C-alpha cells in the first residue's frame, strides 16, 4: 500500500527494545504514523511471539515467517539482530541510539542496568532521548519488581470482576486489552514528550504500567464505585448505567440493542407495538428503567423474540435506534462497512493480509506500507 502524502512522524527514529505486545503495539502505531522503527531482537530467536503459533505464516518460497501473532503487532518496522548482553552488541546499539529520538523498552525494572542501558544511563548519555519504559506495575511501588502479564493485570485491575454472566465466573477479555491500552497510552505519552522536547529541548523518561492503564480505563464503572461506594457486579451483556442496552434473542439469532436516551426508548416501544411502555412512569426515564430493569427486560425480550433479527434491525435503523448483530470474525471482515473502510489490506511484500490502523488524516489512512520484518533483515 502506497501513501501519497508525507505521514506525520516521518523523520522520527524509534528504537524498540520490546517484545510480545504492549511495547510492539506502541511501536507499530508509531510506524503507521511514519516513524522509522528499528526493532532490536535476539539473534536466532527474535521476539517471543515469532513462536506463538499456530497459525504460522509461510512465505512465497516456503520460508517460515513466524507466527501470525508476531505479524499482528510489528508491521512497518525494521529488524536488527543484536545481542545486548555482549560488548559488541551494546556498542552496536549505542551507535543506533546516537541519532534516535525514542526508545521503547519493556524489560523488568532494573533489567537493563547490567548492560549499561537502563533509562537513567541512556538519559545521561543521550539527553534528548525519550525513553518509554513499559512494565506490568511501573517503576515504583511494592509490585514494581514483578513481571506483568496481561491476564494477571485483567484480574488484578478489577476488569474480570465486571466481565461475565452474573451467576458465572469472572472472565477475561478475548483480546489482551491491558497490553493494547498500554501500547496506545504509551504512544500518546511519547507524542506529548516529543512536543515538550520541542519546547524545552530535553528528553524524558516515561513510566508506563499495564496495571495503571487497565485501572484507568475502568471508566464509568470506577466512577460508579467512587461515587456510591457500591462495588459493581457482573451483568453479562447488560449495562450498569443504561437500560435497555444489551443482547436480546430474536426468532433466528441474537441482536444487540443499545438505547441511549428516552427518545430512542419510546421509538423502540412503538416498533414493538407497545407505545404505552414508552410513557409508563416505571420506564419513561432511564433512571426509572434502571430501577425497574427486572420488570422491563422480560417484557421487551418477549416482544423481540417474535421478530427475525434482520427485520427488527432494519426497523430500528429506520427510526434511529442503535442495534447490530454479534459478528464472528468471518462476519466482521465480510461486513460491507468494514470492507468499504479498507480495514483489511495486504502490506507490500507481505504473505498475509493485515488489519489497518484506524487513524485517517485528511482522507488518508495511516498505515505502514510494509509488513512485519524477517528476523535481522
Amino acid at each position: 500500500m502506497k501513501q501519497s502524502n508525507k505521514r506525520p512522524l516521518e523523520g522520527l527514529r524509534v528504537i524498540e527494545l520490546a517484545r510480545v505486545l504492549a511495547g510492539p503495539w506502541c511501536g507499530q502505531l508509531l510506524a503507521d504514523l511514519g516513524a522509522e522503527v528499528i526493532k532490536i531482537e535476539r539473534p536466532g530467536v527474535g521476539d517471543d511471539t515469532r513462536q506463538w503459533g499456530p497459525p504460522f505464516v509461510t512465505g512465497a518460497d516456503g520460508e517460515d515467517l513466524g507466527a501470525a501473532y508476531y505479524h499482528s503487532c510489528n508491521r512497518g518496522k525494521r529488524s536488527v539482530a543484536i545481542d545486548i548482553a555482549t560488548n559488541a552488541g551494546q556498542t552496536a546499539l549505542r551507535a543506533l541510539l546516537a541519532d534516535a529520538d525514542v526508545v521503547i523498552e519493556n524489560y523488568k525494572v532494573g533489567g537493563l542496568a547490567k548492560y549499561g542501558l537502563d533509562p537513567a544511563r541512556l538519559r545521561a548519555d543521550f539527553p534528548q532521548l525519550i525513553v518509554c519504559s513499559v512494565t506490568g506495575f511501573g517503576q515504583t511501588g511494592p509490585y514494581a519488581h514483578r513481571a506483568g502479564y496481561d491476564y494477571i493485570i485483567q484480574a488484578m485491575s478489577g476488569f474480570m470482576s465486571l466481565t461475565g454472566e452474573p451467576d458465572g465466573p469472572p472472565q477475561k477479555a478475548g483480546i489482551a486489552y491491558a497490553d493494547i491500552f498500554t501500547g496506545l497510552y504509551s504512544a500518546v505519552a511519547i507524542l506529548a514528550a516529543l512536543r515538550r522536547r520541542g519546547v524545552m529541548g530535553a528528553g524524558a523518561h516515561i513510566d508506563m504500567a499495564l496495571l495503571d492503564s487497565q485501572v484507568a480505563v475502568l471508566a464509568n464503572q470506577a466512577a460508579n464505585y467512587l461515587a456510591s461506594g457500591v462495588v459493581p457486579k457482573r451483568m453479562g451483556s447488560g449495562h450498569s448505567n443504561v437500560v435497555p442496552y444489551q443482547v436480546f434473542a430474536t426468532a433466528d439469532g441474537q441482536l444487540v440493542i443499545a438505547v441511549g436516551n428516552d427518545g430512542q426508548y419510546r421509538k423502540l416501544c412503538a416498533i414493538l407495538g407497545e407505545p404505552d411502555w414508552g410513557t409508563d412512569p416505571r420506564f419513561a426515564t432511564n433512571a426509572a428503567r434502571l430501577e425497574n430493569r427486572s420488570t422491563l427486560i422480560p417484557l421487551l425480550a418477549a416482544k423481540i423474540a417474535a421478530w427475525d433479527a434482520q427485520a427488527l434491525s432494519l426497523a430500528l435503523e429506520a427510526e434511529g435506534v442503535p442495534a447490530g448483530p454479534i459478528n464472528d470474525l468471518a462476519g466482521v471482515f465480510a461486513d460491507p462497512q468494514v470492507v468499504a473502510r479498507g480495514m483489511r489490506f495486504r502490506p507490500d511484500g507481505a504473505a498475509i493480509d493485515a488489519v489497518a490502523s484506524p487513524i485517517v488524516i485528511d482522507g488518508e489512512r495511516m498505515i505502514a506500507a510494509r509488513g512485519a520484518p524477517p528476523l535481522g533483515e
Side-chain angles (χ1 to χ4, degrees), residues 170-228:
Q171 295 286 330
K172 73 176 183 68
I175 303 297
Y177 277 123
D179 277 334
I180 290 173
F181 271 122
T182 304
L184 293 172
Y185 274 122
S186 296
V188 172
I190 287 167
L191 295 178
L194 287 167
R195 175 71 175 94
R196 192 184 73 165
R197 188 181 72 175
V199 174
M200 300 176 60
H205 180 211
I206 298 167
D207 174 7
M208 297 299 306
L210 270 66
L211 184 60
D212 291 357
S213 296
Q214 190 66 71
V215 171
V217 299
L218 293 176
N220 63 298
Q221 294 282 32
N224 291 345
Y225 168 70
L226 295 174
S228 69

Side-chain angles (χ1 to χ4, degrees), residues 21-363:
L21 186 53
W25 195 265
C26 174
Q28 178 171 267
L29 176 54
L30 298 177
D32 280 337
L33 291 169
E36 178 191 24
V37 180
I38 301 173
K39 185 177 183 70
I40 309 301
E41 300 191 73
R42 292 171 294 172
V45 179
D47 191 309
D48 298 358
T49 59
R50 288 186 182 273
Q51 286 76 48
W52 283 16
F56 292 97
V57 179
T58 302
D61 297 326
E63 67 272 30
D64 177 14
L65 298 179
Y69 196 120
Y70 174 81
H71 291 260
S72 75
C73 51
N74 288 289
R75 175 175 64 243
K77 303 174 186 177
R78 298 164 61 195
S79 171
V80 177
I82 294 178
D83 183 357
I84 65 170
T86 67
N87 290 334
Q90 293 159 24
T91 299
L93 179 57
R94 284 179 168 275
L96 291 173
L97 292 172
D99 58 357
D101 299 286
V102 177
V103 170
I104 304 169
E105 64 92 2
N106 68 348
Y107 283 72
K108 291 175 67 175
V109 174
L112 287 171
K114 59 187 174 183
Y115 308 127
L117 298 169
D118 54 292
R121 179 69 179 272
L122 292 179
R123 290 289 316 287
D125 294 346
F126 307 99
Q128 290 192 304
L129 193 63
I130 293 163
V131 181
C132 180
S133 296
V134 179
T135 59
F137 299 96
Q139 301 293 305
T140 60
Y143 302 159
H145 65 284
R146 295 186 185 180
Y149 292 90
D150 177 273
Y151 198 167
I152 303 301
I153 300 302
Q154 289 194 37
M156 294 180 66
S157 68
F159 175 85
M160 286 179 61
S161 76
L162 303 170
T163 307
E165 294 299 322
D167 56 352
Q171 295 286 330
K172 73 176 183 68
I175 303 297
Y177 277 123
D179 277 334
I180 290 173
F181 271 122
T182 304
L184 293 172
Y185 274 122
S186 296
V188 172
I190 287 167
L191 295 178
L194 287 167
R195 175 71 175 94
R196 192 184 73 165
R197 188 181 72 175
V199 174
M200 300 176 60
H205 180 211
I206 298 167
D207 174 7
M208 297 299 306
L210 270 66
L211 184 60
D212 291 357
S213 296
Q214 190 66 71
V215 171
V217 299
L218 293 176
N220 63 298
Q221 294 282 32
N224 291 345
Y225 168 70
L226 295 174
S228 69
V230 177
V231 176
K233 303 298 183 183
R234 293 185 294 284
M235 300 182 65
S237 72
H239 196 290
S240 60
N241 293 91
V242 187
V243 174
Y245 202 99
Q246 64 180 73
V247 175
F248 288 95
T250 69
D252 61 348
Q254 293 181 311
L255 191 68
V256 173
I257 299 177
V259 169
N261 57 55
D262 297 337
Q264 291 175 355
Y265 170 69
R266 289 191 289 272
K267 291 177 180 178
L268 170 64
C269 294
I271 290 168
L272 297 179
E274 297 289 349
D276 290 346
W277 292 352
T279 55
D280 187 317
R282 297 174 297 168
F283 314 134
T285 66
N286 185 66
R289 293 192 294 277
L290 277 169
E291 184 177 353
N292 294 289
R293 183 199 301 262
S294 61
T295 300
L296 176 61
I297 295 302
L299 295 174
L300 294 175
K303 289 290 182 179
I304 291 168
W307 285 73
D308 290 339
Q310 179 71 4
L312 180 55
S313 181
L314 292 172
L316 293 171
E317 181 180 358
E319 293 297 325
V321 179
I326 301 175
N327 288 329
D328 61 16
L329 293 198
V332 170
F333 290 107
D335 186 285
Q337 183 67 17
V338 174
V339 172
R341 295 287 290 179
M343 288 303 296
R344 177 176 181 170
F345 80 108
R346 179 66 63 96
D348 293 345
I352 59 170
D353 288 350
V355 180
S357 161
I359 299 174
V360 178
I361 299 176
D362 288 339

